[in-house]
Amino acid sequence: MDKNLQNIEDLFYSALNEVEVEPSQNYWEAMDREFGKHKIISIKSGYTNLKRIALLLLLLLISFSLFEINSIQHNQRLAKKNEIHSDKLSKSAIINNKGLSGKVTNDSAIAMGAIHISGYKKENAVGKNLISAYNGKNLPSGTSPNDNYDQHRKKNILGIPISEKSVPEPSKNHTPGYKENPTRQLAYLDRIKNSKGIEDEKLGVENNGEKIENRIIENIKLQLKDSVNAKKSINLKIVFDSNVDNKSNNVLTKRNNEVKASAFSIMPFFSPDVAWYRLQNDNLNNQFNNAGEFESEEKHEFSSTYGILVGYNLNKRWGIQTGITLSNINITINPETLYAQPDNTGNIKYRINTSSGYGFVLPSFSSNPVMGDSLYAFTSLHSLQYIGVPIAATYNFTLGKFNLNVVEGISANLLSKSKLETTVENGFQNSSESINKIQGLKNIYFSGLTGLNVDLRLEKRTTISITPTIRYALNSINKNTPVKSYPMSFGSVVGVKIGL
Amino acid sequence: MTQPFFMEPGTFYLKPSDLLENYEVLIQACISGDRNAQSKLHEQFASKMLGVCMRYSKSREEAEEVMQQGFVQVFKSLPNFKYKGSFEGWVRKIMVNSAIRHYHTKPKMHPVVELENSPAIEIGNEDIITRIQIKELLEMVQALSPGYRMVFNLYVFEGMKHREIAELLGISEGTSKSNFFDAKRLLQKAIMNSLKIADNY
């Protein structure tokens, strides 16, 4: 009895500090299960990262595939177009044997071989090098072939300017049975020369002093028919001067104007989002809820993003996009018990913890709580609103009727509103409480965005735009909170794009 | 540093004397997901940590729940261990944090304390320990209300100041001191009762 019992803490320290207690069998079994669960969580977490990488790769793959498909289709269209031109040209160029019989004998095929007409310049072309293809099928009866040729020269549908210099010598190799006949060659070349026709004069005036800027070069395989040697191939490299044909010139000018006109576009949009948080425990000394608890206790409700985007096409493929967006995040919290704790000013209030931040409520029926007091809270709702300023690069390609854009960018998101609502119960008393500012939230966070935009043209300047988009936070939206929260969302941006 | 014996792939056999030196190896194995190593580590500390958790809990079941949560946190946080200071101390700190978290998540009641104004009794600690079993002392601590128990444990066993305790539990320093004082008085009373019963026998 020599010591004061008021030093009882020493007694307990010496007796209990090193005490060891053997866990029960139930504990070991529970821990075994927990080990398994922990392993599963680790695997799940690992797969989450893999899923993200896979998703990114998938997007890239889809983009690349679409680009490839688009390229193939474009090439096919070009080939088809060339084929159609070739057919038309063949029809036009099939010279009726009768019509040409005065100059070309039946057994002497017009095996001009490959006639390459290249290096065309306007000065050479105008007034000299226009082939007016002749369709002998339309010859009026009773007229001589040469007369027909002269008479119907004006009706020819294709004007093919050629260079005299570039017309090669006929090749024997193309036709085994070919017999060189200088007279026939000269006659043919004369026809080509003479075929400049009226168009030459007209073009000579219209194109006077102008330089050729737009040229369309096409390889057209001509099938020239001869009475004996049924088919002879003549490959012509034909240069169309856009200035030659007023119509095509106008079309090109118009097209150019259209491209210039649609460089800027504006798009009001709305995006229903599936949103979630990626949660990360902030530190070990977390005495409040951890990420796992928030994930199980909270549920993301309907979220949305809307705003206006402005796009600018830097060139045919690349563009930039910016604008202003307003995004809403709504999260409900399962019913829970709130505990009284000192707030930032030292007043005791009931604390509500959320994955976004925290807040304090003080119901009217519990005006003077003390530490440890508790209240039951029904389902709570916390909502956040951000004003976003995105900037994104777009890569454009077309797929059939659709115009596709791969969109990749970042967005600065400014917190514009945060609200926490709950209803607390104490016995028979209920009280709806609302907090207009959730604490622990940063004023700004940055997010990345990746999307694939599909444009469906409605009118000349109006398109419906649909963009499945993934948005992912690059930094957390909160600080000094039990968990760090990274908002993620997947939404389909739907808008009407208007070319300016 | 003594290397552990690898009895078979993924199986550790550590002699107790080598354990401290081989924590790094064991920890690395745990981080890499070796369940056997995790089990070994867990077994090494389970008894000690349950003793800690028992002091912070009302019952054995609650203590085991706290310890379970604590060990889950230990394995999650192993990559963050910096190998500075005692590993056991680090594990113990996590257990205490787990107990504090548990304390916060459970509904709390107002502590109703009926303390008689009895004068302090002079009695020797050694004498008490010989007359009262350690298990009984542990039950006395467990019988304290959660708030008192937390403050008493943190002050006596973790060596925290009242200011730190107040910060950790979200109470004022005065409340912490008051709770500690009340806890002591309740324990004194419990000891006296226990001694009286023992004397009657």
Side-chain angles (χ1 to χ4, degrees):
Chain A
M1 305 288 178
D2 58 342
K3 298 226 175 172
N4 196 321
L5 197 57
Q6 286 192 345
N7 290 330
I8 200 170
E9 58 264 33
D10 296 335
L11 163 68
F12 278 91
Y13 183 83
S14 57
L16 300 180
N17 191 44
E18 297 298 328
V19 70
E20 293 186 14
V21 182
E22 193 61 32
S24 65
Q25 187 59 36
N26 289 340
Y27 171 78
W28 293 114
E29 288 170 4
M31 213 47 211
D32 275 348
R33 286 195 299 271
E34 195 61 45
F35 276 141
K37 188 179 165 188
H38 179 64
K39 199 174 179 181
I40 290 165
I41 289 167
S42 301
I43 292 167
K44 193 179 171 185
S45 175
Y47 274 118
T48 305
N49 291 331
L50 283 175
K51 279 177 193 168
R52 286 181 191 135
I53 295 165
L55 188 65
L56 191 65
L57 289 173
L58 187 67
L59 274 174
L60 288 171
L61 183 66
I62 290 169
S63 307
F64 182 73
S65 303
L66 289 173
F67 175 74
E68 282 296 310
I69 291 167
N70 178 53
S71 299
I72 291 165
Q73 287 189 344
H74 186 253
N75 289 339
Q76 284 175 347
R77 279 200 303 274
L78 274 179
K80 200 174 179 181
K81 193 177 170 185
N82 284 345
E83 199 176 331
I84 291 166
H85 275 287
S86 177
D87 287 345
K88 283 181 181 177
L89 199 57
S90 298
K91 283 178 183 175
S92 302
I94 291 169
I95 302 168
N96 189 302
N97 288 335
K98 289 178 183 178
L100 291 176
S101 61
K103 301 232 175 203
V104 182
T105 56
N106 285 342
D107 59 346
S108 60
I110 309 173
M112 297 296 290
I115 301 174
H116 295 282
I117 304 166
S118 58
Y120 169 76
K121 289 184 180 177
K122 194 182 79 175
E123 290 80 9
N124 294 331
V126 175
K128 289 182 179 177
N129 302 323
L130 188 69
I131 297 174
S132 296
Y134 174 75
N135 189 347
K137 290 178 180 177
N138 295 328
L139 280 173
S141 59
T143 56
S144 70
N146 288 329
D147 289 341
N148 287 337
Y149 179 76
D150 291 334
Q151 283 177 356
H152 295 279
R153 197 168 52 190
K154 294 175 188 176
K155 296 180 181 177
N156 292 334
I157 56 171
L158 289 173
I160 308 171
I162 59 170
S163 169
E164 273 186 285
K165 294 176 183 176
S166 62
V167 177
E169 288 299 319
S171 170
K172 295 177 183 179
N173 299 330
H174 287 80
T175 310
Y178 174 79
K179 292 177 182 178
E180 193 172 353
N181 186 341
T183 307
R184 190 174 62 238
Q185 288 177 37
L186 286 173
Y188 184 79
L189 288 173
D190 281 344
R191 276 206 311 282
I192 292 175
K193 285 179 184 177
N194 292 332
S195 66
K196 61 190 178 186
I198 293 171
E199 291 87 349
D200 282 352
E201 294 170 11
K202 188 182 175 185
L203 290 169
V205 173
E206 288 176 354
N207 297 308
N208 187 27
E210 291 179 12
K211 288 185 177 179
I212 297 167
E213 291 178 355
N214 299 312
R215 291 191 295 175
I216 301 167
I217 301 171
E218 297 185 37
N219 286 312
I220 300 174
K221 196 172 184 180
L222 293 181
Q223 300 288 328
L224 293 187
K225 277 193 174 177
D226 191 67
S227 58
V228 177
N229 299 308
K231 293 180 180 178
K232 303 295 176 187
S233 295
I234 300 176
N235 290 321
L236 293 179
K237 187 173 183 181
I238 301 168
V239 179
F240 289 92
D241 184 351
S242 62
N243 292 327
V244 170
D245 189 342
N246 278 335
K247 195 173 177 181
S248 50
N249 190 23
N250 288 339
V251 169
L252 282 172
T253 310
K254 199 175 174 182
R255 194 176 297 162
N256 286 338
N257 288 339
E258 276 182 10
V259 170
K260 283 177 185 173
S262 61
F264 272 106
S265 64
I266 189 166
M267 183 180 78
F269 74 92
F270 175 77
S271 169
D273 297 333
V274 177
W276 69 96
Y277 276 173
R278 182 168 65 84
L279 298 175
Q280 189 179 351
N281 285 320
D282 196 12
N283 54 48
L284 275 180
N285 295 321
N286 172 19
Q287 53 176 300
F288 302 105
N289 302 47
N290 60 22
E293 287 169 334
F294 279 128
E295 279 170 1
S296 61
E297 295 297 321
E298 294 190 347
K299 185 185 173 191
H300 283 256
E301 301 295 335
F302 176 75
S303 299
S304 62
T305 305
Y306 51 93
I308 293 177
L309 294 175
V310 178
Y312 178 72
N313 295 327
L314 297 170
N315 53 41
K316 190 182 174 186
R317 295 285 183 202
W318 292 95
I320 54 172
Q321 199 176 61
T322 186
I324 189 160
T325 66
L326 199 66
S327 57
N328 296 295
I329 301 170
N330 299 305
I331 304 168
T332 54
I333 311 167
N334 288 344
E336 61 176 345
T337 305
L338 309 180
Y339 297 102
Q341 290 176 25
D343 66 4
N344 296 340
T345 58
N347 297 319
I348 305 293
K349 293 179 179 176
Y350 294 93
R351 176 169 171 142
I352 306 176
N353 292 311
T354 73
S355 54
S356 302
Y358 58 92
F360 292 91
V361 293
L362 187 60
S364 55
F365 57 73
S366 179
S367 55
N368 293 309
V370 293
M371 267 297 303
D373 276 2
S374 62
L375 275 181
Y376 182 77
F378 294 103
T379 303
S380 308
L381 172 72
H382 63 107
S383 19
L384 309 177
Q385 192 177 67
Y386 284 93
I387 295 173
V389 181
I391 181 155
T394 60
Y395 180 77
N396 173 269
F397 58 96
T398 53
L399 182 65
K401 196 179 180 184
F402 297 100
N403 187 25
L404 304 179
N405 290 286
V406 177
V407 183
E408 185 74 49
I410 60 167
S411 174
N413 304 288
L414 291 94
L415 179 67
S416 60
K417 187 179 165 186
S418 63
K419 196 172 184 180
L420 180 55
E421 296 169 290
T422 188
T423 302
V424 292
E425 179 201 54
N426 188 8
F428 295 103
Q429 294 177 304
N430 288 346
S431 172
S432 293
E433 301 295 328
S434 178
I435 301 164
N436 289 322
K437 188 181 179 186
I438 297 175
Q439 295 181 42
L441 281 169
K442 289 178 185 173
N443 288 326
I444 187 169
Y445 82 96
F446 294 91
S447 60
L449 57 96
T450 303
L452 182 64
N453 167 251
V454 183
D455 280 349
L456 178 60
R457 187 175 288 273
L458 292 179
E459 292 176 356
K460 195 165 59 180
R461 291 188 173 190
T462 310
T463 53
I464 292 282
S465 175
I466 302 169
T467 315
T469 306
I470 295 174
R471 301 182 195 87
Y472 41 93
L474 300 174
N475 61 333
S476 69
I477 60 168
N478 45 14
K479 59 183 177 183
N480 301 326
T481 47
V483 295
K484 286 182 177 177
S485 305
Y486 299 81
M488 316 279 282
S489 69
F490 175 76
S492 188
V493 174
V494 180
V496 179
K497 192 184 283 182
I498 303 160
L500 298 177
Chain B
M1 190 168 127
T2 312
Q3 294 298 321
F5 295 97
F6 289 89
M7 303 300 288
E8 58 185 61
T11 303
F12 282 89
Y13 173 75
L14 294 174
K15 289 184 288 185
S17 57
D18 295 337
L19 192 64
L20 287 173
E21 295 175 2
N22 287 289
Y23 273 145
E24 191 172 343
V25 178
L26 193 60
I27 288 166
Q28 288 303 323
C30 290
I31 291 170
S32 64
D34 185 336
R35 189 170 169 175
N36 216 316
Q38 289 175 346
S39 185
K40 280 283 175 198
L41 190 72
H42 176 237
E43 283 172 18
Q44 289 293 336
F45 290 104
S47 301
K48 280 184 184 175
M49 293 309 135
L50 187 57
V52 174
C53 294
M54 288 282 275
R55 282 191 280 106
Y56 284 90
S57 309
K58 192 177 179 180
S59 64
R60 184 189 186 91
E61 289 73 27
E62 189 180 328
E64 288 183 346
E65 190 183 336
V66 168
M67 188 166 78
Q68 187 178 333
Q69 291 168 358
F71 267 114
V72 170
Q73 191 64 50
V74 165
F75 290 121
K76 276 184 185 174
S77 309
L78 273 178
N80 300 331
F81 181 61
K82 307 293 180 191
Y83 302 98
K84 290 176 183 173
S86 159
F87 179 66
E88 185 181 326
W90 182 77
V91 175
R92 182 185 172 121
K93 192 179 174 185
I94 291 177
M95 292 299 160
V96 172
N97 284 330
S98 176
I100 293 169
R101 275 196 55 234
H102 192 79
Y103 163 75
H104 279 294
T105 53
K106 291 290 174 189
K108 298 176 191 66
M109 303 296 289
H110 285 298
V112 180
V113 184
E114 293 176 4
L115 293 172
E116 295 170 9
N117 292 323
S118 54
I121 303 161
E122 290 186 351
I123 190 168
N125 286 350
E126 294 79 9
D127 191 27
I128 295 169
I129 292 173
T130 56
R131 291 161 68 185
I132 304 174
Q133 290 183 351
I134 287 175
K135 186 186 172 188
E136 206 174 343
L137 288 172
L138 187 59
E139 286 171 352
M140 287 177 192
V141 175
Q142 288 182 318
L144 290 172
S145 67
Y148 290 174
R149 191 166 59 236
M150 292 304 296
V151 173
F152 183 79
N153 271 302
L154 292 172
Y155 187 86
V156 174
F157 295 97
E158 311 309 326
M160 286 185 178
K161 307 290 182 195
H162 282 297
R163 183 177 46 79
E164 294 170 321
I165 295 169
E167 212 170 285
L168 200 58
L169 299 182
I171 58 177
S172 69
E173 195 175 336
T175 306
S176 176
K177 285 177 181 173
S178 168
N179 283 359
F180 179 67
F181 179 78
D182 290 345
K184 273 177 67 175
R185 294 290 296 275
L186 287 169
L187 290 172
Q188 282 174 347
K189 192 180 170 184
I191 286 173
M192 286 304 299
N193 290 337
S194 183
L195 288 174
K196 279 179 190 172
I197 293 168
D199 288 342
N200 290 337
Y201 283 97

